[in-house]
Amino acid sequence: MLNLKTQKLMLKTFPKGGIHPAENKITSSNDIKRMSIPKVVYVPVSQHIGIPSEIIVDRKDKVEIGQIIAKSSGFVSSNIHSPVAGTVTKLDKIIDSSGYKKQCIVIRTDPKNESNFKIPEFPLVKEITLSQKDILQHIIDHGIVGLGGATFPSHVKLDMKHDKHVDCLLINGVECEPYLTADHRLMLEKADEIIIGIQILMQALHIEKAVIGIENNKKDAIEVLKKATLVDDRIKVAALKVKYPQGSEKQLIKAILKREVPKGGLPMDVGVIVHNVGTIFAIYQAVQHNQPLIERVVTVTGKTVESASNFWVKIGTPIKDLIEEVGGLPEGTRKIVNGGPMMGKAIKNTDVPITKGTSGILVISEEEASRQEAKNCIRCGQCVFVCPMGLEPHLLMNLTEKGLYERAGNEDIMTCIECGSCSYVCPSHRPLLDYIRFGKSIVKNLNTTKN
Amino acid sequence: MADPIIISASPHIHSNKTSKKLMYDVLYALIPAFLVSIYVFGISALILTSVAVISCILFEFLIQKFLLKTEITITDGSALITGILLAFNLPSNLPIWMIIVGSLIAIGVAKLSFGGLGYNIFNPALVGRVFLLVSFPVQMTSWPTAVVNNTTIVDAVTGATPLGIIKEGLMYGETMTTLSSKFPSTMELFLGITGGSVGEMSALALLLGGVFLIARKVITWHIPITMLVTMAVFTGIFWLVNPEQYADPLIHILSGGAILGAFYMATDLVTSPMTKKGMIIFAIGIGIITVVIRLFGAYPEGVSFAILIMNAFVPLINTYFKPRRFGNKIKSKIM
Ligand code: SF4
Ligand code: SF4
């Protein structure tokens, strides 16, 4: 009993704010399934932060699985590979998860091509033979971007032209969003690969210290990874308190290393690079097996979903295929979310494809979906208590509402990480984050025109 | 058929807390104290509270419907709470029309004229009470003594509150030793068999509700504990220096509505600061002002005034005691 207590006390966490929504990790104990090959894939050319990739195929071209179909068109950009073998049928604009029409490569899967149906097997390759430069090149070539949601091209973080001294690699296995279990399952099923992926990055970065942060509601993953790290004493596992947004980069760095990323700064400013566990696995696949990023783990879940589970899904698979796979859209569905319930985007139709940044598809039913009517602010301070960035959300909303953008800027509106804790907790159901987002976009414009 | 799919921005889930639920938690927390007051004062406590509650709700309805022509908010529970808290701060034998006047001031002046729930600066129930205290000092300070288990309306027997006895006694040159025989023991104060306002009777019952509020996360410990500790320290210093002239800290904390004020009035969400730092400053302020009024002012008790005075400082406190911004090494202006 005492042991349990001291263990709890030792859990690391960020110091201020945070909430604890119902975890609803319905899918955490089922193996990742393999999604059947979609008939058609819709591959957007802008799946990452930065410049959209440049299409290098044409209509009617035959493409092989893993072939580059759109090329990186700048430093902050990424290659995109064909997830299937088949024929390009269209280069078209379709609505993606952002709600806007985006350029897309439509490929019809060739049902006769065997490479589409072979289930790939990759034996564990422990030895890292590539040089630092080659590792970086592999990451660039194979189109690796951050799989935690931000989809930042991974090589950018690794290409340390900056003379900043980085001494620690943090691996984000927190998965603090309710419902999502993709990273959790991946850690359980691919622990050894993840460790090798970490070693690859440590070698590429000349870093001698790495910490994997995992929330304490994934005790099995903590155990498995602790065991897997026994081979390398430079890698540690940190159990973190279950608190949202523990997985936010800045909060994670603070929780594990007690370092605080300065306002407007990057993790690198405090000597840290953060990668998501999914990204690490993708890097392992790219470097050790020459596999481009053409599939990822996606949690398909929801309280009313018949057979919620995690799937290995080809990039470009329409969401409706996934929903079909779990038993169809349940009766009374009011919302479909791309991502988790706290930060994901609601999507209008299920033709939207899975991209490199899709960690989950969440189906929300009647009672949970509708927002209640906003009431007067009762000045309870709840939003202030839960804001992990130390902001005053009620004030920021108020200033935005009144058009006082300059003051909102002075109140640090730009440092809001859009975690949604404030809106989640407000007893008057005020749409705090909606206003703050709007305020941020205006303040951002003001700042750029000023400079 | 209309598109059944909702598109709205994240977050897509909510804590399910509503302001209404918070209000009802406050209501539940007040039940023990209410039962004690009925036990002590009999049916008059029930009548007083009912009149205050009904008139608060009715005034809110009438003013919003006919005067302001705005949305009617009587179901949010806040007028109900104001009514109860107002009643708890009044002597049980107050004439009914005065209760109604107090309710009108609380709802009409202190709440709705500022713009309704959330916009008011001062605690409405306390404004109502202080208005009555200033306008009708005699009726507001003649307290019926405890008539345990009496179901008839009490109005004949009146006596002073413990703090009143002390204040008056000391003015006539008596010492604490001689005075102590004239007012209830600490234990009686704690359990609530004494004279005073309807709801300030039993410290025990009030604490019970206070603990409930903290457990339900409606309030935090910061305001009540800081306020009571400040009072204890401050009165303690005087008592240690001259125990013949000053009452001991326990008497101060257990009487004169200190606990009612600390847990239910000062913690009013709307009129208290929004950060923990701010709450502590606010509560220290209330503690000090209360003691200053009690020891050196004209009134035997000062909690209501102290809270109202500090209410006025809340906007200022909120501007100066901001939460610490993440990644911002430069500390805010004052701290
Ligand atoms: S969304 Fe922004 S303002 Fe709201 S709690 Fe998160 S960081 Fe704070
Ligand atoms: S949580 Fe809502 S009601 Fe409370 S202070 Fe913030 S905005 Fe106002």
Side-chain angles (χ1 to χ4, degrees):
Chain A
M1 190 62 210
L2 190 82
N3 200 357
L4 223 145
K5 251 190 182 158
T6 41
Q7 222 182 0
K8 270 225 162 109
L9 284 177
M10 271 161 47
L11 290 178
K12 296 190 156 108
T13 186
F14 57 96
K16 184 186 172 299
I19 54 176
H20 188 186
E23 293 168 27
N24 286 320
K25 306 264 191 187
I26 309 165
T27 50
S28 64
S29 51
N30 312 334
D31 290 349
I32 307 174
K33 293 183 193 158
R34 191 156 273 284
M35 171 77 190
S36 50
I37 300 298
K39 290 195 182 75
V40 184
V41 289
Y42 303 81
V43 186
V45 296
S46 174
Q47 300 184 37
H48 47 266
I49 286 180
I51 315 163
S53 316
E54 191 187 315
I55 300 176
I56 56 166
V57 289
D58 237 325
R59 234 175 70 108
K60 297 206 175 122
D61 279 2
K62 283 217 178 313
V63 290
E64 284 307 315
I65 202 163
Q67 176 188 334
I68 297 185
I69 51 176
K71 258 180 69 175
S72 164
S73 53
F75 179 56
V76 187
S77 184
S78 183
N79 285 341
I80 289 168
H81 305 73
S82 178
V84 293
T87 316
V88 178
T89 55
K90 259 193 283 186
L91 303 177
D92 199 4
K93 293 207 160 170
I94 66 150
I95 292 177
D96 78 351
S97 57
S98 66
Y100 293 104
K101 285 201 160 184
K102 294 276 174 67
Q103 188 65 48
C104 213
I105 303 169
V106 185
I107 303 170
R108 179 172 298 282
T109 309
D110 178 0
K112 292 198 195 86
N113 192 323
E114 277 180 17
S115 64
N116 278 334
F117 304 97
K118 224 173 46 203
I119 293 183
E121 293 243 6
F122 299 106
L124 191 68
V125 178
K126 287 190 181 154
E127 204 181 332
I128 304 161
T129 49
L130 296 184
S131 70
Q132 181 188 7
K133 218 176 120 230
D134 289 342
I135 291 174
L136 190 62
Q137 199 55 49
H138 268 69
I139 291 171
I140 296 176
D141 290 348
H142 293 110
I144 311 297
V145 303
L147 298 189
T151 60
F152 197 67
S154 300
H155 64 270
V156 181
K157 282 191 194 171
L158 301 178
D159 196 9
M160 312 231 309
K161 288 212 184 71
H162 330 258
D163 40 14
K164 294 198 168 113
H165 177 70
V166 173
D167 67 345
C168 187
L169 174 66
L170 282 194
I171 313 303
N172 191 343
V174 176
E175 205 164 49
C176 56
E177 275 269 12
Y179 287 99
L180 301 189
T181 58
D183 289 348
H184 183 184
R185 288 310 308 176
L186 191 73
M187 288 189 283
L188 286 176
E189 295 177 28
K190 303 287 179 194
D192 293 325
E193 285 84 348
I194 289 169
I195 300 303
I196 295 165
I198 296 171
Q199 288 170 332
I200 292 171
L201 279 183
M202 291 171 84
Q203 184 163 325
L205 293 161
H206 296 298
I207 291 180
E208 287 302 310
K209 182 181 170 190
V211 186
I212 310 168
I214 306 174
E215 250 185 340
N216 204 37
N217 54 3
K218 295 178 263 296
K219 293 208 173 66
D220 46 355
I222 296 173
E223 279 312 306
V224 167
L225 279 170
K226 271 194 175 151
K227 240 181 236 151
T229 50
L230 290 177
V231 296
D232 191 337
D233 58 8
R234 300 171 305 163
I235 308 172
K236 296 264 170 331
V237 178
L240 300 164
K241 191 171 164 192
V242 183
K243 187 159 95 168
Y244 178 89
Q246 195 74 263
S248 148
E249 220 167 52
K250 289 177 177 160
Q251 274 61 38
L252 185 66
I253 295 170
K254 180 87 186 186
I256 295 180
L257 298 170
K258 304 250 176 311
R259 300 182 195 171
E260 193 163 317
V261 179
K263 186 161 99 186
L266 292 170
M268 247 175 241
D269 297 326
V270 290
V272 187
I273 286 187
V274 186
H275 278 289
N276 166 270
V277 280
T279 318
I280 298 287
F281 179 72
I283 289 173
Y284 165 84
Q285 289 288 74
V287 175
Q288 304 296 71
H289 296 291
N290 281 313
Q291 284 302 305
L293 181 50
I294 54 169
E295 60 178 16
R296 65 157 298 149
V297 186
V298 178
T299 310
V300 188
T301 186
K303 282 183 187 157
T304 51
V305 169
E306 205 178 293
S307 44
S309 184
N310 282 293
F311 294 94
W312 283 105
V313 184
K314 297 281 182 207
I315 304 299
T317 305
I319 285 171
K320 61 167 180 258
D321 288 17
L322 276 169
I323 289 178
E324 219 44 64
E325 191 82 17
V326 294
L329 213 54
E331 191 119 336
T333 296
R334 295 305 304 279
K335 224 181 210 180
I336 302 164
V337 178
N338 182 343
M342 290 303 296
M343 292 182 83
K345 282 208 165 71
I347 52 173
K348 197 163 195 149
N349 72 40
T350 51
D351 295 333
V352 169
I354 298 291
T355 62
K356 293 178 182 177
T358 311
S359 45
I361 300 298
L362 169 64
V363 174
I364 298 181
S365 62
E366 199 81 52
E367 332 76 86
E368 280 180 295
S370 42
R371 286 189 175 186
Q372 289 193 29
E373 190 195 345
K375 299 265 170 57
N376 282 1
C377 169
I378 55 167
R379 311 185 58 75
C380 65
Q382 279 301 319
C383 54
V384 181
F385 295 146
V386 300
C387 177
M389 297 306 287
L391 304 174
E392 294 159 279
H394 68 93
L395 178 68
L396 296 176
M397 170 168 173
N398 202 306
L399 293 173
T400 305
E401 221 172 0
K402 291 190 183 137
L404 301 170
Y405 303 114
E406 190 139 346
R407 270 196 62 200
N410 294 338
E411 296 290 349
D412 293 318
I413 194 169
M414 292 311 290
T415 64
C416 164
I417 56 170
E418 303 188 16
C419 67
S421 301
C422 49
S423 299
Y424 173 85
V425 82
C426 175
S428 293
H429 291 262
R430 295 179 69 72
L432 293 156
L433 181 51
D434 293 3
Y435 277 85
I436 293 172
R437 263 199 209 101
F438 179 72
K440 276 176 81 173
S441 66
I442 293 191
V443 172
K444 194 173 171 188
N445 283 339
L446 286 179
N447 288 349
T448 41
T449 47
K450 233 191 269 165
N451 294 337
Chain B
M1 196 183 87
D3 190 351
I5 298 294
I6 303 172
I7 300 292
S8 63
S10 65
H12 307 289
I13 47 175
H14 189 271
S15 62
N16 282 326
K17 263 203 183 164
T18 60
S19 3
K20 207 174 180 169
K21 282 188 195 159
L22 294 178
M23 299 293 172
Y24 281 96
D25 275 344
V26 177
L27 191 68
Y28 299 143
L30 288 167
I31 290 175
F34 185 53
L35 293 179
V36 171
S37 74
I38 292 178
Y39 178 72
V40 173
F41 295 112
I43 198 154
S44 61
L46 189 65
I47 294 173
L48 173 79
T49 314
S50 315
V51 170
V53 166
I54 293 169
S55 44
C56 277
I57 294 178
L58 204 63
F59 281 130
E60 181 151 307
F61 176 78
L62 294 175
I63 293 173
Q64 283 177 330
K65 173 124 195 174
F66 298 109
L67 223 61
L68 301 173
K69 300 193 165 51
T70 52
E71 198 198 339
I72 313 269
T73 56
I74 52 170
T75 53
D76 67 13
S78 66
L80 174 64
I81 302 292
T82 302
I84 296 178
L85 288 177
L86 174 65
F88 275 27
N89 277 288
L90 301 175
S92 65
N93 59 343
L94 199 71
I96 286 186
W97 67 270
M98 283 188 195
I99 306 172
I100 297 174
V101 170
S103 305
L104 179 62
I105 299 292
I107 293 292
V109 177
K111 184 177 174 190
L112 296 180
S113 75
F114 280 90
L117 181 65
Y119 293 99
N120 51 310
I121 295 173
F122 299 102
N123 185 322
L126 283 182
V127 173
R129 169 182 198 231
V130 165
F131 176 85
L132 293 177
L133 186 61
V134 175
S135 318
F136 315 106
V138 179
Q139 291 87 336
M140 280 294 288
T141 50
S142 59
W143 315 92
T145 44
V147 182
V148 171
N149 246 351
N150 193 335
T151 44
T152 57
I153 301 170
V154 193
D155 57 9
V157 204
T158 57
T161 60
L163 287 176
I165 297 170
I166 294 171
K167 182 124 225 160
E168 207 170 311
L170 292 173
M171 269 180 8
Y172 292 110
E174 294 191 59
T175 64
M176 283 304 294
T177 331
T178 54
L179 281 170
S180 62
S181 56
K182 294 190 189 167
F183 61 81
S185 70
T186 320
M187 197 55 194
E188 281 169 325
L189 283 174
F190 187 67
L191 292 175
I193 323 294
T194 171
S197 307
V198 167
E200 70 185 30
M201 285 296 96
S202 163
L204 177 66
L206 289 168
L207 282 176
L208 220 62
V211 170
F212 171 77
L213 287 180
I214 293 176
R216 299 279 292 178
K217 298 207 168 93
V218 177
I219 61 171
T220 59
W221 60 268
H222 299 78
I223 292 177
I225 302 300
T226 312
M227 174 181 155
L228 295 176
V229 167
T230 307
M231 283 179 63
V233 169
F234 206 27
T235 52
I237 294 171
F238 283 95
W239 176 66
L240 284 177
V241 171
N242 189 350
E244 284 300 314
Q245 280 297 308
Y246 297 102
D248 72 67
L250 217 49
I251 293 176
H252 277 286
I253 284 179
L254 290 178
S255 57
I259 293 196
L260 180 65
F263 282 93
Y264 302 90
M265 317 299 289
T267 52
D268 171 38
L269 299 173
V270 178
T271 56
S272 62
M274 302 234 222
T275 63
K276 303 208 162 128
K277 269 186 267 179
M279 286 179 177
I280 287 178
I281 302 296
F282 174 75
I284 291 177
I286 295 175
I288 292 178
I289 296 171
T290 303
V291 176
V292 168
I293 294 175
R294 283 189 182 182
L295 299 186
F296 313 110
Y299 288 94
E301 44 159 307
V303 176
S304 309
F305 290 104
I307 294 176
L308 288 176
I309 291 169
M310 288 311 289
N311 280 165
F313 283 102
V314 167
L316 203 65
I317 292 175
N318 280 336
T319 349
Y320 279 99
F321 296 92
K322 288 188 173 295
R324 185 187 165 280
R325 298 276 154 83
F326 190 98
N328 204 348
K329 297 278 182 230
I330 312 137
K331 297 263 169 131
S332 75
K333 293 164 213 168
I334 270 187
M335 289 294 276

